[in-house]
Amino acid sequence: MRYISTRGLAPTLSFSDVVFAGLAEDGGLYVPEDYPVFSLQEWQRLRGKSYAEVAFAIMRPYVHEAFDDATLRAMIDRAYGGFSQPENITPLIQVGPEDWILELFHGPTLAFKDYAMQMLAQIFEGLLEQKRRPLTIVGATSGDTGSAALHACRGIQGAQVFVLHPHGRVSEVQRKQMTTVIAPHIHNIALQGTFDDCQAVVKQLFQDAEARKDWGLTAVNSINWARILPQVVYYAYAALALGAPERTVAFTVPTGNFGNMFACFVAQKMGLPLGRCVVASNRNNILTRFFQTGVMESRAVEASVSPSMDIQVSSNFERMLFEIQSRNATMVKNQMDGFKKTGKFSVDSGTLGALREKCHAFDVTDTQTADMISVMEQNTGYVCDPHTSVGCYSARQWRQSGGVGAMVALACAHPSKFASVVQGATGKPVPVPARLQQALLAPEKVNVLANDFGVVRDFIAAARRSPSASTV
Ligand SMILES: *Cc1c(COP(=O)(O)O)cnc(C)c1O
């Protein structure tokens, strides 16, 4: 399998090159040259198989030039072996006659990002074993991505990992989940600035030719194709468990950067018959407005009770746009250039119609989010986190607007990660899982740095040179 850029001006790359590149040289995102399509019989044969077996079948065609079958199987076992219930890592909870919740918070940091990040770390390690090279993993985080990355990457021999979070602007739980990961090659940077400042520093690093080459700089956010691929697995696994391919199953996805939603679309591309899905947003409703008007127009980000979705630029939407516009890279490039210049781009009515056939979009206010947590708890006894609640409220809006058939709402984080909002809504304390309790009590290590590119760059350069840094 080869990979091409959504903007058409970057070289076609192999899987391993795409993993290390992250973003394409032309600013685009990599997608597979074509999607492997499974027949209905092949999907049927996967039904009843374990999560690891489904993961193997789905990922194999995308990575088989990099990893032989035995290696891939071992990587999958290692990636998901540390989940809290290895025999049932994505539980489906029925909450209505045709309504389910898919729990994706049974990994080490209690949010769905573990499902992809644990696998990405295995992929990095596997590729480093084949070819020794320096690897410097850098990420900016507003919370969940950073902790998932640190927990996944702490075992990678020969990598240096730097995660930047905005000092004093992440929740105590999120901070401790990061700063209690202590190892010589793990570096938590608390930047004296905002999340956008953290992202700006990371972006500037990627423009630094020396850092890119000599340090082997790479990114762990969902622009990396290897973050999307493992997410395709749980859509297939859940749909099969509910009777697909004979039964049509749809998903509601709490959405920020659109990575999770795009993975759902990939499952469809691979021949899995899914119903029209629901893109759920909070008050940062750029996607809902886009689905109404065909105009993507960013506004200032507003803080909400579902902070992991507080975003105005959904990077992975570019992949969706590329596919839905029949892979017209020139058109995507023009739209993205326009968006960068004016904060705005539009699609034609044919494209908008095609997108609407794939998904609906709903947005949910903070009050509705809290109400839904409380209503769900009263009606079903199920306690959900605010992001999951945004999805459940959207799924309910979809039903009320005439949606029929099986609907699975994704539960993207454990309620204890956002305990104050949940407790405020239900009036009851949220039990804290043992894994989180350990992080809350463990010692912390963090480096507070000035919001200054030079300061951060010097820090990383020095840390890489220090004797404790493992060298490759
Ligand atoms: C990251 C995250 C999201 C948004 O997912 P995207 O793939 O960026 O759309 C939603 N909810 C939670 C809890 C998250 O951590």
Side-chain angles (χ1 to χ4, degrees), residues 111-113 144 254-260 308-309 387 412-413:
F112 84 93
K113 302 221 166 48
D144 295 334
T255 294
N257 229 342
F258 212 80
N260 211 358
S308 302
M309 295 154 65
H387 304 80
C412 292

Side-chain angles (χ1 to χ4, degrees), residues 90-405:
T90 56
L92 266 172
I93 317 289
Q94 188 158 15
V95 290
E98 285 204 282
D99 295 293
W100 283 266
I101 286 179
L102 180 64
E103 289 186 346
L104 299 175
F105 51 69
H106 294 279
T109 70
L110 311 174
F112 84 93
K113 302 221 166 48
D114 289 327
Y115 290 74
M117 209 68 89
Q118 288 287 326
M119 192 64 208
L120 176 63
Q122 293 298 326
I123 291 169
F124 278 142
E125 253 193 311
L127 294 176
L128 283 182
E129 264 166 36
Q130 292 169 10
K131 189 166 173 251
R132 292 165 77 81
R133 49 163 281 168
L135 183 63
T136 302
I137 298 170
V138 179
T141 184
S142 55
D144 295 334
T145 303
S147 56
L150 290 170
H151 282 259
C153 296
R154 68 172 152 192
I156 303 183
Q157 298 298 317
Q160 290 284 323
V161 188
F162 300 86
V163 168
L164 285 76
H165 71 262
H167 185 45
R169 291 174 199 247
V170 296
S171 78
E172 191 188 350
V173 170
Q174 286 176 322
R175 187 192 75 236
K176 287 189 173 171
Q177 280 190 308
M178 294 190 276
T179 56
T180 57
V181 182
I182 296 177
H185 65 295
I186 295 283
H187 311 276
N188 271 291
I189 297 174
L191 194 77
Q192 287 171 320
T194 65
F195 170 63
D196 288 333
D197 294 327
C198 294
Q199 256 193 326
V201 168
V202 170
K203 281 192 182 147
Q204 203 172 336
L205 268 178
F206 273 86
Q207 277 156 23
D208 190 314
E210 185 199 335
R212 264 189 104 124
K213 270 228 170 61
D214 300 353
W215 301 359
L217 203 63
T218 194
V220 287
N221 46 30
S222 60
I223 55 170
N224 197 321
W225 170 253
R227 276 279 307 278
I228 305 290
L229 179 59
Q231 298 183 169
V232 180
V233 178
Y234 46 72
Y235 290 103
Y237 185 72
L240 293 169
L242 293 177
E246 288 85 352
R247 182 188 200 184
T248 305
V249 178
F251 290 90
T252 296
V253 185
T255 294
N257 229 342
F258 212 80
N260 211 358
M261 193 74 238
F262 187 74
C264 178
F265 182 69
V266 172
Q268 275 177 284
K269 280 277 193 199
M270 294 180 71
L272 192 66
L274 297 181
R276 228 202 275 186
C277 291
V278 173
V279 180
S281 303
N282 62 26
R283 64 200 292 175
N284 296 287
N285 62 355
I286 180 168
L287 288 169
T288 324
R289 286 184 281 118
F290 172 75
F291 273 86
Q292 277 158 9
T293 61
V295 181
M296 189 76 86
E297 184 174 19
S298 67
R299 293 180 184 162
V301 177
E302 289 176 28
S304 79
V305 293
S306 46
S308 302
M309 295 154 65
D310 290 349
I311 196 163
Q312 280 291 328
V313 180
S314 293
S315 310
N316 273 289
F317 194 76
E318 180 168 344
R319 288 188 162 111
M320 187 76 178
L321 208 54
F322 180 69
E323 300 297 351
I324 218 89
Q325 292 179 152
S326 314
R327 302 197 138 197
N328 185 336
T330 313
M331 194 184 278
V332 172
K333 185 178 174 351
N334 289 339
Q335 286 160 327
M336 289 302 135
D337 287 348
F339 192 53
K340 197 171 175 193
K341 256 187 233 126
T342 64
K344 199 167 158 174
F345 75 86
S346 56
V347 297
D348 61 34
S349 61
T351 300
L352 186 59
L355 280 166
R356 284 179 179 159
E357 249 162 58
K358 291 284 168 208
C359 24
H360 305 256
F362 293 102
D363 59 74
V364 179
T365 66
D366 278 3
T367 313
Q368 290 165 334
T369 306
D371 285 351
M372 190 72 203
I373 295 174
S374 148
V375 167
M376 287 258 291
E377 197 265 334
Q378 279 163 23
N379 292 352
T380 68
Y382 192 81
V383 177
C384 70
D385 104 288
H387 304 80
T388 308
S389 175
V390 167
C392 290
Y393 191 90
S394 300
R396 193 171 74 171
Q397 281 178 295
W398 167 82
R399 271 264 179 253
Q400 284 166 355
S401 67
V404 290

Side-chain angles (χ1 to χ4, degrees), residues 52-53 55-78 119 130:
E53 285 169 310
F56 176 77
I58 294 211
M59 292 195 270
R60 184 176 181 276
Y62 294 95
V63 308
H64 75 272
E65 278 138 11
F67 303 112
D68 62 41
D69 288 359
T71 306
L72 178 60
R73 265 183 202 277
M75 285 160 59
I76 292 170
D77 289 343
R78 281 195 299 271
M119 192 64 208
Q130 292 169 10

